[in-house]
Amino acid sequence: MEGMVQDEGSSSVTSSSPLQFFSLMSLSPGLGSPWIREMKSEERGLYLIHLLISCANHVAAGSLENANIGLDQISQLASPDGDTMQRIAAYFMQALADRVLKALPGIYKALNATKISSVAEGIMVRRFFFDLCPFLKLAFVITNQAIIEAMEGEKIVHIIDLNAAEPAQWIALIQALSARREGPPHLRITGIHEQKEVLEQTALRLTEEAEKLDIPFQFNPVVSKLENLDIESLRVKTGEAVAISSILQLHSLLASDDEIHRKKSSPPSRNFSSAHFHRVLKMNQSTLGELMEKDMANGYSPSPDSASSSPLFLPSSAKMESFLMALWGLSPKVMVVAEQESNHNGSTLMERLLEALYFYGSLFDCLESTVPRASMERIKVEKMLFGEEIKNIVACEGVERKERHEKLEKWVQRLDLAGFGRVPLSYFGLQQARRLLQSYGCDGYRIKEENGCQVICWQDRALFSVSSWRCRRYD
Amino acid sequence: MEEEVENSSGEASGSSSGNQLAKNSTNNTEAVKRKRNLPGMPDPEAEVISLSPKTLMATNRFICEICNKGFQRDQNLQLHRRGHNLPWKLRQRSNKEVVRKRVYVCPEPTCIHHDPKRALGDLTGIKKHFSRKHGEKKWKCDKCGKKYAVQSDWKAHGKTCGSKEYKCDCGTVFSRRDSFVTHRAFCDALADESSRKDGGGGKLQKLALVVCSSPNSSSVVSMAQPVENTGQTELPIYQKTELPKNPVGHFQLNPPLAGVNGSSGSSSTGTSMFNSVFGSALSGNLQPQPSSFSDLVCVASRESTSVTEPPLLRLSSNSGFTLFGTTGKDSSQFARPSQPAMSATALLQKAAEMGATASNPSLLRGFNMSVASSSGQQETLQWNAGHEVNTASASGHPTEGGVGLTELVTGPSLLFGSKLPTHDFLGLRMGLGGGGLPTGGVSALYSSMRGTAVGGRLDVVDGTASSIVEGNSEAKSD
C-alpha cells in the first residue's frame, strides 16, 4: 500500500496530524505471512497503526477497494484477545468495516437484522466496567460529595439521575446522608433510563437500602430516552432542592443531523461575552469549522490558539440547548456533569478516528495494565462497551452518532451559555477520590484539579472530567 | 482532728466534726481561678483533699453545722441552712474568697491516684473511680452478664447492650454504627495493606480491629488513637467486643485522615459513602452481600472465580490488591515489566513522532525526497527484513528527532550495525536510547536545518516527544 496524497474533500492527508504522515510512509511490499508472525509486538503495533490510518483514509476518500485491502491486512494482525494494540485495531477495524458496509444499506441491514440485544447483558457489561475500572466509582464519589455539600441544611432533596443504571452511586449517597449531622433529608430520586427492567432493579436496591437506614425515600422511575424526556414527568415540586447527576450522558444530546446544519451555513456572528445571549439565540448556523472544511481540504482547525480559545467553534445543537434550558428551568441547586475528556465530535472521520485512537488507546492500556488478558469481563467491556462506542464514533454519522464526546472546555462553554454557573469541586472530594485510588492499589490512575473541575487520568492522559454547576439566575 | 486552713476563717463546707477529714493544704493562698487543668496534672495550687474510704463513700457528705444533718448535695445543705435563721454574719458562706480548687486523692494506697500529683479534680469522679477500681461490682447486666460497680455505668450499658448489632465481613461485631462504619471502610484496606506488607493470608485476626471512634461519633480523626480508651471514659466498646487491642500501627493507612477537614460530619459521611460505593455495588444476579469495596476492586485480579465466593475467602486470597501481586493466579501476566510491551499510547506517540519527522516537506525536498513519492529507495521506514532502521528509541528520547533525520539523509543503507544488538526492524531498541547517533557531519546538517523551520514542523526534529504528540496536546481542537 503506497502512501498517497489525495486532495479530496474529506480528509486523507489533509490534516496536519503527524499520525497521518506516519500512515503515508511507504511500506515495502515484502510482507510475506511468515514474517508477520515473527513481528514483535511493538512493530506489529506500529504497523497496525499505520494500516488503520491509511485504511481510514481510504474509507474517508471512498476508495472501497483499497479499504478492502487495508482491512484484510489489519485482520491478519488484529485480534480481540491479543495485546493492547491488537485489540484496539480489532475494534477500529470493525468500525471501519461497518462504515464501509453502510454504503451498501441492503447488506448492512441484512447482516444486522437478527441481532438480539439483551437487557441483562447490557447490565452485566456495565457492571463489569464499574468493577474493573475505577472511573465510574470516582465519578460517583465526586458527584456525591458535590451533592452533599450543596444540600447541606436541606430538608427535602430531589435528585434527578440521567442514567439510573448503577444503584451503587445512590446507595453510597443514602448512607452518607443518613450519617449527616442534622439527620437525613427526605430523599427523592428520579431515575431516567430507557429500559424498564433496569429501573426496577435500581428501585429495588435503593428502597431496600433506604429502609435499612430508616430514611424517608422515594424512587420515581422514568422510562424514557434522554432526548425525548418530558420535564413534567420528573415531577419536581416547588421548594425541593434539586440535584442533577449526569454521568457520561449529556454528549448523546449533541447528536443531530449534521448535514442540515452544514447546508444552512451562515457566518457565525455570536459574541459570547454578553450574558443576554442566554437562551435567546437559536443556533442554526454551522460552525466556522464546518465552513472551513468545505473551503479547504483541510478539515482541521487552524492554529491551536484560536481554536481553543475562540468561542466560535462550538458546534450548535438545538436538542442540547432545549434540554439544558429545560434543566435550567428546574433551578437545580447543583448539577454534576461527568464526561469523557476527548474530542470525538469532529466533523470528519479522520479527526474523530485519530482522537479516538488516543483516547481508547489509553483506556485499553489501562485495562491491559490492570486486568489479565484472559479475563472474560475485560473482553466483554472492550467489545461491548468500548467497541460499540468506537463503532458509533467511526461508523455512524448524523443523528445516529451518539457518542459525541467533547472536551471539558467545550462543555464549560455550553453550560455557561445555557445559564449555569460553575461551582468549584471541593478539595475534600478530591481527597476522597484520591483515597479511593490509593486503596485501589494501582498507581496509574491520577486525578487532578483544573479550574475547579476534576479530571481523571490514566498515566497523564486525561480520560474523564467532572464538573459541578448551579443554576445561575439574576447574576 | 480538724485543722483550719490558714487563710480561710470559718470554712465550714464539708468539714465538721464527726468526720475524719484531714486537710492537707498544699501551698499558697492565692485565689485560684477555676480553670481546667491538663488531665493527669492537677492544679499545683489546688487544695488536696484526702478522704477515707468511709467518708468517700458516705452518702451524706454535707453536714449542717448547726444540727448535724447530712445531705448528699451542697445545694441541699444550703437550702436547709436557710431554715435555721442564721444571723447575717454567719449567713454567708464564710469563705469570702473563691473557694480554692480542690483535688482529691484515692485512699487506696496502691492506686496511682493516691499520689497528690495524680489527684483527680472531681469528687464524684474520685468516688466513681474508687468504686470501679477498688470496689465490688454489684450491678450486673442481665443480657450479657457484665458487671459494674457504679450504677450509672450499668445503666448506660443496659441501654445499648444487644440493641443493634453490626457485623463486618471480617467477623467483628459492633454495637455502634459509627464505629462499624468506620471500621468497615478500612477493614479491607487494612487487611490488604498488612498482608501486602507481610505477604500472607491469615490476616484475619488483624482484621478484627476495633475501630473506635469517640463518643460524638463522627470524627474519624479520633481513629488514630484508639488505645487511649483507658478506663477514663465510659465508652464500652472496647470491652464489649473483647477484641485484642490493636497496635496503633494498623492505622498507618490513615495519615491522610488526620488532615481531613474539620467538618467531621462530612468526613464520616465521606468514609461511609466511599466505602459503600464499593460496598454494595456487586449485585445484580447475586444475593446482595454487603461486600466491601475491595472485593469489587479485587474482581480485577480474579480471572475466573465466580463472584459468589464468600467474602472472607476473597479477602485472604486476594489480599494485597493483587493486581500486580503474587497470589498465584495471574502473577505471570502481571509480572510484566513496562518495557517490552509497549502501551498503545506509547505506540501512538511513537508513530506520531515518526510521522512528524517524515512530514516536513522542506526537509524532504532538501534531501530529494518527498513523502508523496513512492520511489523505493528513500523511504524512511521499511518493513523489510534485514534493514536496520534506527528511528527512535522507545523512550522518546529527545535525540530521536535527529536520529530520524539521519535516516532521511542516509536512507536505509545506513546500518548502525554494531550498535544494534538484535534485528528489530524498526530499530525499536528499548532502553538503548540514543545509541547510534549521527556523528559530526550529520549533526551539522541537522543544526543547519533548524533555521529553516517551516510551519513549526521543524521543531519536531529537535523537540521532545511531547511537541509532536498530538492527541494529548491542547493544540488539537475543533
Side-chain angles (χ1 to χ4, degrees), chain B residues 39 96 110 149 163 179 209 215 225 249 282 379 382 397 474 478:
Chain B
K96 298 243 173 68
T110 57
S163 52
S179 39
L209 296 173
Q225 37 275 339
L282 250 195
E379 282 134 22
Q382 295 197 0
H397 206 272
E474 293 311 290
D478 240 352

Side-chain angles (χ1 to χ4, degrees), chain A residues 25 27 175 300-301 365 432 439, chain B residues 270 276 344-345 383 476-477:
Chain A
M25 291 173 175
L27 299 180
Q175 292 177 344
Y300 261 96
S301 51
D365 280 339
Q432 284 197 299
S439 66
Chain B
S276 59
T345 317
W383 273 271
K476 193 158 192 274
S477 66

Side-chain angles (χ1 to χ4, degrees), chain A residues 205-219:
Chain A
R205 297 292 319 284
L206 292 181
T207 33
E208 198 176 78
E209 189 68 26
E211 267 177 37
K212 246 200 288 182
L213 295 174
D214 233 359
I215 296 186
F217 174 74
Q218 207 187 3
F219 183 83

Side-chain angles (χ1 to χ4, degrees), chain B residues 87-259:
Chain B
W88 177 247
K89 250 198 272 179
L90 296 175
R91 196 170 192 182
Q92 267 111 311
R93 298 193 61 166
S94 27
N95 36 350
K96 298 243 173 68
E97 82 268 12
V98 176
V99 182
R100 208 183 297 159
K101 170 116 176 92
R102 290 172 164 199
V103 294
Y104 301 90
V105 291
C106 179
E108 172 66 38
T110 57
C111 187
I112 187 175
H113 291 290
H114 189 67
D115 180 3
K117 289 198 219 58
R118 300 298 309 270
L120 300 174
D122 181 40
L123 183 59
T124 322
I126 196 84
K127 286 166 84 172
K128 286 199 177 168
H129 155 79
F130 187 74
S131 308
R132 281 194 203 117
K133 277 281 181 62
H134 314 297
E136 176 203 336
K137 296 193 172 163
K138 297 190 204 129
W139 304 93
K140 182 176 159 204
C141 169
D142 41 17
K143 277 192 218 164
C144 63
K146 222 164 133 63
K147 287 193 164 179
Y148 294 91
V150 178
Q151 188 188 22
S152 53
D153 290 348
W154 172 79
K155 272 200 221 159
H157 164 82
K159 284 188 191 159
T160 57
C161 178
S163 52
K164 254 193 187 182
E165 292 237 316
Y166 300 89
K167 196 166 175 177
C168 176
D169 295 327
C170 67
T172 330
V173 177
F174 295 89
S175 65
R176 292 181 64 122
R177 190 196 141 66
D178 46 13
S179 39
F180 167 58
V181 162
T182 335
H183 162 85
R184 200 168 48 144
F186 296 95
C187 171
D188 304 296
L190 288 163
D192 294 311
E193 168 159 301
S194 56
S195 57
R196 226 190 299 147
K197 275 191 221 151
D198 318 344
K203 288 300 156 203
L204 294 182
Q205 51 274 47
K206 282 208 182 154
L207 294 182
L209 296 173
V210 178
V211 174
C212 289
S213 51
S214 65
N216 57 4
S217 91
S218 51
S219 163
V220 173
V221 177
S222 65
M223 268 173 57
Q225 37 275 339
V227 268
E228 300 214 343
N229 253 342
T230 51
Q232 230 118 282
T233 70
E234 315 221 339
L235 195 59
I237 292 183
Y238 241 82
Q239 298 91 16
K240 269 189 248 179
T241 49
E242 313 271 358
L243 286 166
K245 292 212 175 187
N246 27 294
V248 183
H250 277 280
F251 291 84
Q252 290 313 318
L253 196 60
N254 308 336
L257 288 188

Side-chain angles (χ1 to χ4, degrees), chain B residues 296-355:
Chain B
L296 301 171
V297 168
C298 287
V299 164
S301 62
R302 284 185 281 119
E303 298 182 78
S304 52
T305 52
S306 81
V307 188
T308 54
E309 248 184 322
L312 285 182
L313 209 54
R314 249 192 291 226
L315 282 173
S316 48
S317 63
N318 289 342
S319 52
F321 288 95
T322 56
L323 301 170
F324 298 114
T326 55
T327 50
K329 288 184 197 179
D330 318 312
S331 45
S332 56
Q333 279 169 324
F334 290 111
R336 227 182 302 139
S338 55
Q339 281 285 8
M342 263 178 109
S343 67
T345 317
L347 281 173
L348 285 165
Q349 283 183 10
K350 198 185 180 67
E353 287 155 24
M354 300 207 291

Side-chain angles (χ1 to χ4, degrees), chain A residues 2-5 16-19 21-22 24-28 30-31 35 38-43 45-47 49-50 84-85 88 127 130-132 137 140-141 144-145 148 166-169 171-173 175-181 201 205 208-209 213 300-304 307-308 313 315 343 345-347 351 354-355 357-358 361-362 365 368-377 407 409-410 428 431-432 435-436 438-443 460-461, chain B residues 164 177 184 186 189 196 218 253 256-257 259-278 280-285 288 290 293 296-297 299-303 305 307 321 323-324 330 333-334 336 339-359 371-375 379-385 422-428 430 457 468-478:
Chain A
E2 294 193 321
M4 46 197 122
V5 181
S16 50
S17 158
L19 271 188
F21 285 106
F22 173 72
L24 295 171
M25 291 173 175
S26 328
L27 299 180
S28 99
L31 292 170
W35 182 77
E38 282 166 18
M39 254 202 278
K40 285 202 214 132
S41 90
E42 310 85 45
E43 293 149 18
L46 285 174
Y47 189 40
I49 297 175
H50 174 106
T84 321
M85 206 59 227
I88 295 175
R127 173 48 49 73
F130 177 79
D131 291 335
L132 293 182
K137 293 175 194 155
F140 291 162
V141 163
N144 285 355
Q145 184 58 31
I148 290 176
E166 183 50 69
Q169 179 180 11
I171 290 178
L173 185 70
Q175 292 177 344
L177 285 177
S178 77
R180 215 163 67 146
R181 202 183 284 139
Q201 255 198 10
R205 297 292 319 284
E208 198 176 78
E209 189 68 26
L213 295 174
Y300 261 96
S301 51
S303 75
S308 54
F313 288 84
N343 181 19
N345 197 13
S347 40
E351 284 176 63
L354 293 173
E355 281 292 312
L357 265 180
Y358 282 105
S362 198
D365 280 339
E368 172 80 358
S369 308
T370 56
V371 184
R373 280 194 192 166
S375 156
M376 195 32 76
E377 286 109 3
K407 289 210 169 169
E409 58 197 6
K410 288 269 174 64
F428 182 65
Q431 276 186 318
Q432 284 197 299
R435 216 183 304 154
L436 185 77
Q438 276 174 0
S439 66
Y440 216 75
C442 171
D443 62 358
D460 301 332
R461 159 81 213 197
Chain B
K164 254 193 187 182
R177 190 196 141 66
R184 200 168 48 144
F186 296 95
R196 226 190 299 147
S218 51
L253 196 60
L257 288 188
V260 153
N261 64 4
S263 106
S264 42
S266 44
S267 70
S268 71
T269 59
T271 314
S272 63
M273 166 164 83
F274 103 173
N275 91 74
S276 59
V277 171
F278 319 112
S280 8
L282 250 195
S283 74
N285 36 10
F293 61 81
L296 301 171
V297 168
V299 164
S301 62
R302 284 185 281 119
E303 298 182 78
T305 52
V307 188
F321 288 95
L323 301 170
F324 298 114
D330 318 312
Q333 279 169 324
F334 290 111
R336 227 182 302 139
Q339 281 285 8
M342 263 178 109
S343 67
T345 317
L347 281 173
L348 285 165
Q349 283 183 10
K350 198 185 180 67
E353 287 155 24
M354 300 207 291
T357 60
S359 72
V371 172
S373 85
S374 48
S375 56
E379 282 134 22
T380 308
L381 284 175
Q382 295 197 0
W383 273 271
N384 236 347
T422 52
H423 52 155
D424 49 352
F425 302 116
L426 303 176
L428 300 170
M430 311 295 161
R457 274 290 140 216
I468 314 170
V469 172
E470 246 214 19
N472 295 349
S473 73
E474 293 311 290
K476 193 158 192 274
S477 66
D478 240 352

